[in-house]
Structures are given as structure tokens and as C-alpha cells.
Amino acid sequence: MFNASRLALARKRRQLTKKELAEKSKLTAVTLTRLESGNTPEPSGETVRAIAHALDYPTEFFYLNDSEELSAEAVSFRSLSSLTARQRDAALAAGSIAFELHAWVAERFHLPPAQLLDLRDEDPIAAAEALRSHWGMGTKPVEHMVKLLESKGVRVFALSEQHKHVDAFSCWRDDVPYVFLNTFKSAERSRFDAAHELGHLVLHIHGTTNGSRDVERDADVFASALLISRGDLIGHLGRVNSLAQLVAAKKRWGVSVSALARTAFDAKLISDWHYRDLCKQISQLGYRTSEPQGLPREKSFLWRMVFDQLWKDGITRHHIAAELHIPLDEIESLVGELVTQTTPAPNLREKKPALTIVS
């Protein structure tokens, strides 16, 4: 039978209002509203085909079982106040489709299990240090944030929304942690977003928070402490004398120059007046929007291995889209930016995430 929730999901994913979709599919707004609410008899095949064509979704998609709806309360949106309802709903709909893609892959591969800690009772810096210790990282910099998350059981997806308002978000589902990263941002800021969302996953598990705490500030402090160990910072940076010193040093930790300045200030390596002056320089030079000496964007190791193996078995992304009855562009938006080619990377054999095929 026609599934009204699937209609709502596809409409939100395409960022259309009911009125706009009605116009594109040449239906009345009343008809579409009734279809989406489920208060109508089974629609004709012609009506469903018109809707599918307008949304560029396969008609079969609208006859699938209910998808798991991802609510705004279940995720951590860093810039919720700046999001329009369309942007928020489109990002949440992307999460629902990602769950289905993940389920398809998990049926065929043994993916790394979650190795996170429940750190709800810890302050952010202590939590970051505890997780570093749990993962045997010591004080060394995080060389590859996406690879680290994937190896510890976090499923990383892209958000190809092409705007800066949806920074990133994270959530837990069936004891599996998910992180969605906006590929519109610089590599440095995306790394920080990934660490920030990891902070939410361990500090605010399943949305559990202490109402008296600033959860976004907690996640920021956690991210800074995870990416830049205080001892490593003091040992390799020392007293900060100029912006050029920060620009030259930031590559070691893979963070933005503004993030490094803030962390150095918190570590008392920069005085109050000098920090304010550095912030003015960073803004005047445009470094808040265009990172100096930018790093290449991190790519997924896990998704690369999955698609490489599927390719060897003769299974393409077109096949996956057809089996899931979703448009190919939805798969590309979720993983395309994280995967660049189908040949294995030279260092995949070194410290790669556990991945086996289910026979």
C-alpha cells in the first residue's frame, strides 16, 4: 500500500512545501495534504507516478515500510537557531535514508563495533583525556579524524547541503553512533566538527544532558582537548608571539588558526590583549571563512573499503540504489564526498578499521 510517511520523507529531503510539490506534480494542495496525512483512499498509480516524477524518486519508494523518523530532539544541531525549517527537515531526512543505507551494508559486512565511553559525569577536558587513554592515543595529534571515528565504530556520513548553516550533527541509533559532517566547510573546521560531535556522543548520550550545562560549549571544549593535547601544545608551540607562528603551527594538529589561537589562549600561551589582537587579525585577513594553508579534506577509509569490495563483486552504487529504491543522488550525497576513487589507498593495510564480509 501507498505509504504516506515515505511521501513526507521524500518531500522534506527535496526541501519542498506541500504546495510546491502539489504544483510540480499537477495535483491540488488539498489532495497532496490528504495523501501525506494518510486521510485518503489508495491513490492511483498515475498519481503516485506524478509525485515520484516531481520528486525524482522511484515509485517503489512510496510503497516501502515506514522509515525511522529522525527527530530534531534526538540529534545535536549546532546552529539550530540559524536553520530554516526546510534545511533542518532535509538534514533529518538525510539521516533517515542513511539508516537504511547502513542497514543494507551491515547485512553484508561486519563493521567495527562502537568503542565509545559513557562520560556523562565527566567535565569535557577530563572526558577527552579519558577517551584518549581508552584508545591508547597518548598525547599525539589526531592524524585522521574520520578514520579514527570509523575505527572506533562511529558511522560517518556526509551532508552535501551546500550551505554553512547545518554544521554537523550526531545521534545514537540501536547502540550505533552516527556523525553527519557538512562537506561545504573547510577540512580543518570539518575535523573540529567531527570531534565536537564525538563530544556529544560521549558526554550527552541519547540526548541525556544536565540542564545547567552549556552542551555546545562542553562539546567545543572536548573537541579542543581531543585534537590538541595540552602537554603536546605547550611542548611544540610555546609562547605565542605572532599570527604567523600560529599559521605555521596549526598543521600539526589539523585545526583552524582561530581554533588554535583559542586553545593556546586557554592554555595561557597568549595574553588577554594579545588574543584580542590576534582575533582581529584573523577576521581582517578573512581566515574565519578561508583557512590559510588549508589541508586536504579527509576521506573515509571504511566506505572506501566497502565500495571497493562491492565493486569487486560486481555491485555498484546503482545496484544499491535500486535495491533500496532510492535515487542514486541520495547515496552520492551521503558518501560521495567521503569516497574519491575505487582503488584501495596505499596504506589501507595499516591500522584499518575491522571489516569483514558476511557470507
Side-chain angles (χ1 to χ4, degrees):
M1 295 181 63
F2 181 80
N3 191 327
S5 68
R6 289 280 172 173
L7 169 58
L9 176 65
R11 178 182 63 78
K12 292 174 181 178
R13 189 70 195 106
R14 296 308 193 200
Q15 297 195 38
L16 294 174
T17 65
K18 295 174 185 176
K19 181 180 179 181
E20 289 168 344
L21 178 55
E23 292 174 351
K24 288 192 66 174
S25 55
K26 295 181 171 54
L27 300 173
T28 66
V30 172
T31 297
L32 191 70
T33 298
R34 288 176 177 173
L35 278 172
E36 192 166 310
S37 64
N39 297 324
T40 183
E42 185 73 6
S44 67
E46 182 180 357
T47 296
V48 178
R49 285 191 293 273
I51 292 171
H53 179 73
L55 291 169
D56 196 19
Y57 265 69
T59 55
E60 295 86 352
F61 177 82
F62 301 98
Y63 293 95
L64 298 174
N65 293 330
D66 289 348
S67 62
E68 180 169 340
E69 184 177 357
L70 187 57
S71 67
E73 293 75 22
V75 305
S76 60
F77 276 123
R78 293 180 61 189
S79 301
L80 187 58
S81 61
S82 63
L83 285 178
T84 66
R86 294 193 197 204
Q87 292 167 345
R88 180 201 62 209
D89 290 345
L92 292 172
S96 297
I97 294 174
F99 293 158
E100 297 185 10
L101 174 58
H102 175 263
W104 188 94
V105 171
E107 285 181 357
R108 293 158 178 80
F109 296 90
H110 288 300
L111 303 177
Q115 301 178 49
L116 277 59
L117 298 175
D118 183 343
L119 299 169
R120 280 175 284 192
D121 296 328
E122 299 289 342
D123 73 79
I125 294 178
E129 292 173 349
L131 200 58
R132 274 181 161 273
S133 176
H134 180 63
W135 289 346
M137 295 171 58
T139 61
K140 64 182 181 181
V142 179
E143 182 178 349
H144 197 294
M145 192 65 209
V146 170
K147 181 180 179 181
L148 175 66
L149 291 179
E150 291 179 331
S151 69
K152 304 306 179 184
V154 180
R155 311 296 186 246
V156 180
F157 287 92
L159 281 173
S160 301
E161 304 304 295
Q162 296 304 306
H163 55 71
K164 64 182 180 180
H165 298 302
V166 182
D167 283 319
F169 69 85
S170 56
C171 61
W172 284 87
R173 176 179 179 264
D174 297 335
D175 295 323
V176 176
Y178 291 80
V179 164
F180 295 81
L181 299 175
N182 189 339
T183 57
F184 188 70
K185 303 175 73 174
S186 70
E188 291 88 346
R189 293 181 185 277
S190 188
R191 277 172 54 86
F192 191 89
D193 282 350
H196 176 104
E197 296 308 322
L198 176 61
H200 279 306
L201 290 171
V202 298
L203 291 170
H204 316 131
I205 295 175
H206 305 302
T208 302
T209 60
N210 182 332
S212 64
R213 294 170 61 172
D214 183 338
V215 296
E216 293 306 318
R217 177 58 181 161
D218 281 355
D220 275 343
V221 172
F222 173 93
S224 295
L226 184 81
L227 291 170
I228 308 174
S229 169
R230 183 65 59 89
D232 191 57
L233 177 70
I234 294 172
H236 287 85
L237 183 63
R239 194 73 182 173
V240 176
N241 299 310
S242 67
L243 180 59
Q245 182 184 355
L246 291 174
V247 171
K250 76 185 188 71
K251 184 178 180 181
R252 174 177 177 81
W253 296 283
V255 298
S256 67
V257 65
S258 57
L260 181 57
R262 176 68 199 197
T263 306
F265 172 68
D266 290 339
K268 303 189 184 304
L269 299 178
I270 305 176
S271 65
D272 288 358
W273 70 266
H274 193 194
Y275 177 65
R276 289 194 294 271
D277 182 59
L278 286 171
C279 288
K280 290 180 182 177
Q281 292 182 53
I282 290 170
S283 296
Q284 291 169 353
L285 292 170
Y287 289 170
R288 295 193 185 279
T289 55
S290 180
E291 194 64 34
Q293 298 184 23
L295 298 174
R297 182 172 298 282
E298 293 185 350
K299 301 298 179 181
S300 165
F301 281 69
L302 182 67
W303 287 115
R304 279 276 302 281
M305 288 189 285
V306 165
F307 286 114
D308 285 345
Q309 184 59 54
L310 291 172
W311 178 266
K312 292 175 183 177
D313 295 338
I315 301 174
T316 67
R317 295 181 212 184
H318 289 273
H319 288 105
I320 302 172
E323 285 199 28
L324 292 174
H325 302 301
I326 60 175
L328 178 62
D329 69 272
E330 293 292 13
I331 293 180
E332 293 297 339
S333 69
L334 287 169
V335 299
E337 289 289 336
L338 296 171
V339 183
T340 55
Q341 56 187 352
T342 56
T343 54
N347 62 346
L348 275 180
R349 295 181 180 277
E350 300 177 7
K351 300 180 181 179
K352 67 181 181 181
L355 177 69
T356 57
I357 303 171
V358 178
S359 57

